[in-house]
Amino acid sequence: MAEAKASSGFIIGLDGIRATMLDEVGGKAANLGEMAAAGLPVPAGFCLTTAAYRHALQGGPESGLGAVLTELETVPPDDLERLADLAGRARTAVLDAGMPDAVEASLRDAYLSLGPDTAVAVRSSATAEDLPFASFAGQQDTYLNVVGADAVLDAVRNCWASLWTDRAVSYRASNGIDHAAVSLAVVVQVMVEAATAGVLFTANPVTGRRREAVIDASPGLGEAVVSGAVNPDHFVVDSVTGSITERRIGDRRVVIRSLPGGGTERVESAAGDGKACLDDAAVRTLAALGRRVEAHYGAPQDTEWAIDADGTVWLTQARPITTLYPQVTRPPSTPGPHAYLCFSLAQGLTRPLTPMGIAGIRLIASSVARTAGFDVPDPRKGPSPFYEAGQRIYFDLSAVLRSATGRAIVPKVFDVMEARSAAVMRSLFEDPRFAVTSRSPFRLIRHVGPVLAKYRVPETVLRAVFRPDAALERVRRFGQTLQSSLTVPADATPRERLEHAERILGRELFAILPNTLPPAIAGFAMLGLVRRILGKDAPWDELQLVIRGLPNNVTTEMDLALWGLAETLKADAPSAQAFASASPQELAARYRDGGLPAVAQSGLASFLARYGHRAVAEIDLGMPRWADEPTHIVGVLANYLRLEDPDLAPDRQFAKASREAEAQIATLVARARARSPLHAGIVKAALARTRTFAGMRELPKYRLVEGLAAARAQVALVGEELAAKGRIAAAEDVFFLDFTEAHQALDGAGMHALVAERREAYQLELRRRHVPRVLLSDGTEPEAVAARHASVDGAAADGTLAGSPASAGTVTAVARVILDPVGARLEPGEILVAPSTDPGWTPLFLTAGGLVMEMGGANSHGAVVAREYGIPAVVGVPDATNRIRSGQRITVDGAAGTVTPEG
């Protein structure tokens, strides 16, 4: 049948459509037209453009839709009931608008050009659909086997209304799509009478592997597969060799077929005979067709296909696979398979980094590499193992995997930092692509030895063991020296300020680690010594008690200072009234204007003067500090003021934990004394040093963030200068540049377009929920591969979720899933369920009944703080924020490492 020709401004034949016509024809039609133009097998048809939809809504009924659009602007994405009500009103407004005569005439003519009573598929094509960042798959309606012009008219009207289904409105709201900016076109295509149909992914959407096609197929129309009504046949094909690596036959109990005269029927059938609905030749043909589609678009595609009774293959849809994580882009000089570890996740950071944040970490990483004797030609680009993917930091892990020494050391470090990353590393030990090629520790010694010698690390560790007071004093003096190095003259020029920020990041910050971490290492080493001495008389759950309520922990001191401020506010009637009657946003605005009650104003100012350099996601130079934006801290204070049970007060809990620790030390010393007085003396001295130094684990990060805050302050002043000169639109836009670009802006270059592009990309990445811990160079996620092949994926038959034990104890309470602590409300006693935590989260810990994290290890930040506060905690629980829902009662067993949901 001939392709429909354009009969008016409302109709465009598929052969006249290109990918650039999104605003006119929507995502689905744009992709179909693009494939048709590329010579790919697409059924003939035409598109009723978005101009027809807009023309239909002119006049009286539009005011009804206009009112709905106005109300939708203020509805939050999680208010599903209100969104559904407004969606219903919008559908009514669209259907009441009817179809103008000119549109109807154009549509009838275009349909008849396909042939009288031709069976067609009528499919919605929204302008916010099949996009690179959000597919919107299934959000609007499709009508199959539509026969006759009148039936086509009805189907088009229903497609228009489907732009406002509850699911479509909710999806747009959650993805930040402006409802008023979305319009709808409709594709009308000749119906393919499919003998077999299904979907084809040109890359594996589960494992991320790019050179692997995944096909789901079932007899009849593809709707059975797309809608999830059937367990289809499943095939995985190596796209390079064409070999079928996986074949699984589904039961195919449902078949959807066309009815004579129009419409479809759903036929229930018995289980299949065990034979695949596609032979190997058809599977390879589909995989090859998928390679053509991907080559045309230059990116992996999610396609729908149908094979008719004659064996002809047709493509009925293609859209980007939006869930794939971006691949690491490697230079040609690094061929072969590589494995990359996500540094961002190792730091408990799931969100993307701003461009300036990435630039800052590049400079720090360059400083580390140069100190270790590696060549770094351009510090602004970072050392050679440094890569960026999805606006997150990845480091090349390949050398570690191929080194016997690396295998022995690095996974053990991650066992206590981020246990799931350690497990993924070990899973790659059996991969022949990463077989050990270096068994000598010489290379490690050659690079680490000079660092240890330069900063006299062994001497620092011994000082902590034998002269603890001198060790504490040395750490204190280093802090003072660091503070003086962060200052800059008040009359410095913008360029001097930018260079100062680069000096802080590229020279000063690395020294923090070898100067402050060794005493903490000594503290934990002493705990290990006690366990070695006492053996089974010092079980881990009892040793955990020793490291509760630790002194010299800057994060604990910060949290208790915040609690003390809350107590002060509670005792001051005007302050208590202010915090009870206003939102955190209002209170923060009043603070900035100096309008809070005197006690609250001075108390908050004092707290921020000391701790205002901290932030959520604080390793990102681009993130506002609490001193810049205090709304989060104000919200936490308001949360503290709701705590009524005095026994749950954090200061009492901390004091109780300290007493329990001292009592446990006495018990362990008594057990040692039963062996000999010498044993008792060693255990007592060792545990005293554990108490003195283990809490200092938080100090390196604290000092690092001080330096980042100082650098940020200088960059922010440069941003003010650039905004004043019109090089950027607002001062904070400077954080969407890197240092080279900031220097160019100071030289006179305008950066508006670049900033706008970066901001848009950043907002898209903020919506990404899944970030791979380890990513292979072909896009494969090893953790996803392991989960696919494992018989269980972290959940037992009774629903129990497994993770790593982090803080002993058991609690049963209501869960509160929090993805971002800013503005979050955690009721006292609730169990905090989070993807990860950094010090910006810990004020929430003070009133939490327990903690569950998707990431982390036994010595990760969240685990350490949970132990100190005495709250049960389990970390490294896969997909916890999706498997657990807010309001659900769960039991957290911090010793067993399990989380058991109720119901």
Side-chain angles (χ1 to χ4, degrees):
M1 296 180 185
E3 188 83 39
K5 301 302 180 184
S7 56
S8 75
F10 299 133
I11 299 291
I12 304 178
L14 287 183
D15 58 352
I17 293 175
R18 298 294 181 270
T20 55
M21 300 169 64
L22 180 68
D23 289 342
E24 298 172 68
V25 299
K28 187 179 281 88
N31 283 336
L32 288 169
E34 186 70 19
M35 286 194 296
L40 294 163
V42 175
F46 61 87
C47 176
L48 183 69
T49 65
T50 56
Y53 171 83
R54 290 191 293 268
H55 182 60
L57 292 178
Q58 289 178 356
E62 187 184 24
S63 60
L65 183 58
V68 171
L69 291 172
T70 299
E71 290 190 52
L72 279 171
E73 292 178 359
T74 61
V75 180
D78 58 354
D79 191 346
L80 300 181
E81 184 176 350
R82 183 84 185 286
L83 288 173
D85 176 66
L86 291 170
R89 287 169 52 190
R91 289 194 298 274
T92 299
V94 173
L95 290 171
D96 287 348
M99 184 176 291
D101 291 343
V103 175
E104 180 177 336
S106 297
L107 184 55
R108 284 183 182 275
D109 289 346
Y111 171 70
L112 290 173
S113 74
L114 296 175
D117 295 327
T118 298
V120 295
V122 181
R123 314 170 73 190
S124 303
S125 181
T127 53
E129 181 178 56
D130 295 349
L131 304 178
F133 62 89
S135 72
F136 285 73
Q139 300 307 311
Q140 281 83 45
D141 288 348
T142 288
Y143 297 90
L144 302 177
N145 198 35
V146 181
V147 179
D150 289 342
V152 170
L153 294 175
D154 287 339
V156 166
R157 281 190 289 264
N158 288 327
C159 283
W160 283 348
S162 74
L163 185 63
W164 300 98
T165 59
D166 294 359
R167 63 182 182 272
V169 170
S170 176
Y171 194 88
R172 287 197 297 269
S174 63
N175 279 278
I177 303 294
D178 182 4
H179 300 282
V182 178
S183 189
L184 192 90
V186 181
V187 176
V188 179
Q189 279 181 290
V190 174
M191 185 73 182
V192 177
E193 290 300 330
T196 309
V199 298
L200 160 67
F201 293 91
T202 66
N204 195 314
V206 176
T207 66
R209 187 168 292 157
R210 295 311 199 269
R211 292 181 290 184
E212 198 168 69
V214 179
I215 300 169
D216 285 343
S218 187
L221 301 180
E223 178 67 16
V225 177
V226 174
S227 66
V230 66
N231 290 321
D233 292 351
H234 179 79
F235 307 90
V236 178
V237 184
D238 186 312
S239 299
V240 177
T241 65
S243 62
I244 301 172
T245 60
E246 186 177 333
R247 181 186 287 103
R248 186 173 66 245
I249 309 305
D251 57 25
R252 308 192 308 259
R253 293 179 180 272
V254 174
V255 177
I256 298 177
R257 300 192 184 281
S258 298
L259 287 170
T264 61
E265 65 174 348
R266 176 184 172 120
V267 180
E268 304 285 342
S269 64
D273 57 6
K275 295 182 179 179
C277 64
L278 293 175
D279 60 25
D280 287 2
V283 170
R284 292 189 178 97
T285 296
L286 284 168
L289 182 59
R291 288 199 299 273
R292 288 178 58 195
V293 176
E294 181 176 300
H296 176 72
Y297 283 101
Q301 298 291 302
D302 165 7
T303 71
E304 295 178 20
W305 55 268
I307 302 177
D308 63 22
D310 296 328
T312 303
V313 180
W314 298 94
L315 288 169
T316 57
Q317 189 160 324
R319 54 178 168 251
I321 306 176
T322 59
T323 56
L324 288 175
Y325 195 81
Q327 285 182 273
V328 172
T329 301
R330 295 181 297 133
S333 59
T334 58
H338 286 254
Y340 303 94
L341 173 74
C342 187
F343 173 79
S344 296
L345 282 185
Q347 288 294 310
L349 187 62
T350 57
R351 63 184 293 144
L353 293 161
T354 61
M356 189 61 78
I358 292 174
I361 294 178
R362 286 183 188 274
L363 285 173
I364 296 172
S366 294
S367 173
V368 174
R370 285 183 300 178
T371 305
F374 291 98
D375 182 38
V376 184
D378 186 348
R380 289 180 181 172
K381 293 182 179 179
S384 56
F386 184 105
Y387 293 90
E388 176 189 347
Q391 299 172 41
R392 294 164 179 91
I393 302 299
Y394 281 82
F395 280 98
D396 194 337
L397 194 65
S398 308
V400 169
L401 296 174
R402 296 185 176 114
S403 163
T405 305
R407 288 187 175 197
I409 295 175
V410 175
K412 290 180 180 178
V413 172
F414 275 84
D415 280 334
V416 296
M417 281 181 57
E418 216 291 293
R420 286 173 62 189
S421 293
V424 179
M425 287 183 211
R426 291 189 174 100
S427 73
L428 293 174
F429 289 177
E430 304 303 318
D431 191 325
R433 294 174 297 176
F434 300 107
V436 172
T437 58
S438 172
R439 299 189 177 278
S440 170
F442 175 73
R443 185 178 180 186
L444 176 68
I445 294 171
R446 181 161 58 91
H447 290 294
V448 174
V451 177
L452 298 179
K454 177 179 179 178
Y455 292 101
R456 302 164 71 178
V457 172
E459 177 186 333
T460 303
V461 172
L462 292 173
R463 184 184 294 107
V465 173
F466 295 105
R467 299 178 58 204
D469 291 341
L472 287 174
E473 175 60 21
R474 188 172 186 275
V475 170
R476 186 190 66 79
R477 288 199 309 270
F478 172 79
Q480 292 177 333
T481 302
L482 177 66
Q483 286 291 335
S484 63
S485 72
L486 301 180
T487 59
V488 62
D491 60 350
T493 67
R495 193 173 301 279
E496 288 172 340
R497 293 186 184 281
L498 199 58
E499 292 171 349
H500 178 75
E502 291 187 81
R503 180 181 62 79
I504 291 174
L505 299 165
R507 295 185 188 178
E508 305 295 342
L509 295 190
F510 174 65
I512 292 172
L513 199 64
N515 278 288
T516 57
L517 186 58
I521 293 174
F524 282 103
M526 293 295 98
L527 198 65
L529 175 64
V530 170
R531 191 171 190 184
R532 180 175 290 274
I533 291 173
L534 294 182
K536 59 183 174 55
D537 288 334
W540 174 239
D541 57 343
E542 291 188 11
L543 284 176
Q544 277 193 12
L545 293 175
V546 174
I547 52 178
R548 286 185 171 177
L550 289 170
N552 302 321
N553 185 318
V554 287
T555 301
T556 303
E557 292 168 359
M558 176 189 74
D559 292 343
L560 291 177
L562 190 61
W563 172 256
L565 175 57
E567 291 283 81
T568 300
L569 300 182
K570 187 181 292 186
D572 180 65
S575 297
Q577 174 61 29
F579 273 75
S581 60
S583 70
Q585 292 79 9
E586 293 169 333
L587 291 167
R590 290 174 60 184
Y591 168 75
R592 284 190 289 265
D593 294 337
L596 287 178
V599 171
Q601 185 74 27
S602 62
L604 186 55
S606 178
F607 176 85
L608 292 176
R610 184 174 181 184
Y611 297 109
H613 63 282
R614 307 227 71 164
V616 175
E618 58 194 3
I619 66 167
D620 184 352
L621 197 67
M623 291 297 291
R625 309 290 114 171
W626 289 342
D628 304 324
E629 176 46 70
T631 303
H632 170 55
I633 282 301
V634 170
V636 173
L637 282 170
N639 184 55
Y640 286 178
L641 291 174
R642 296 199 303 273
L643 183 63
E644 297 179 354
D645 186 346
D647 290 334
L648 296 178
D651 52 351
R652 293 194 183 187
Q653 293 278 27
F654 184 78
K656 177 184 176 184
S658 297
R659 291 194 299 271
E660 290 175 349
E662 294 299 337
Q664 185 61 46
I665 289 175
T667 298
L668 293 171
V669 170
R671 292 174 186 170
R673 188 173 291 111
R675 301 186 178 197
S676 76
L678 178 61
H679 282 88
I682 294 174
V683 167
K684 183 177 182 180
L687 293 180
R689 281 149 181 79
T690 294
R691 294 286 298 168
T692 298
F693 295 118
M696 293 175 67
R697 174 200 178 279
E698 295 290 304
L699 188 58
K701 179 75 171 288
Y702 184 89
R703 295 294 186 209
L704 173 67
V705 174
E706 278 186 323
L708 288 171
R712 174 188 163 82
Q714 299 306 314
V715 175
L717 290 172
V718 173
E720 292 178 7
E721 176 75 11
L722 293 176
K725 291 184 176 180
R727 315 278 168 72
I728 55 179
E732 59 269 21
D733 286 349
V734 72
F735 296 106
F736 287 86
L737 305 174
D738 61 25
F739 283 103
T740 298
E741 293 155 354
H743 277 288
Q744 291 170 350
L746 286 175
D747 290 336
M751 296 292 176
H752 294 81
L754 178 61
V755 168
E757 177 184 336
R758 295 258 180 87
R759 280 191 176 276
E760 181 179 7
Y762 181 77
Q763 288 301 318
L764 294 180
E765 277 299 324
L766 279 174
R767 295 203 292 268
R768 189 184 297 278
R769 290 291 303 276
H770 172 67
V771 180
R773 281 170 170 74
V774 175
L775 194 62
L776 302 189
S777 45
D778 66 353
T780 302
E781 298 180 32
E783 191 173 25
V785 173
R788 187 182 70 174
H789 292 298
S791 59
V792 295
D793 57 359
D798 63 353
T800 296
L801 308 180
S804 299
S807 179
T810 301
V811 61
T812 299
V814 170
R816 179 68 57 189
V817 178
I818 296 178
L819 303 178
D820 187 338
V822 178
R825 179 163 177 165
L826 183 73
E827 297 293 337
E830 289 183 333
I831 296 171
L832 171 62
V833 182
S836 64
T837 63
D838 63 13
W841 287 72
T842 55
L844 293 174
F845 285 30
L846 287 181
T847 56
L851 172 68
V852 177
M853 294 195 327
E854 291 181 336
M855 286 168 284
N859 204 30
S860 60
H861 169 81
V864 170
V865 177
R867 286 196 296 269
E868 292 191 15
Y869 292 170
I871 61 175
V874 179
V875 300
V877 181
D879 209 24
T881 59
N882 286 320
R883 297 185 182 201
I884 300 169
R885 64 181 184 275
S886 289
Q888 183 179 26
R889 287 184 65 81
I890 62 175
T891 297
V892 174
D893 187 332
T898 59
V899 181
T900 306
E902 294 182 7

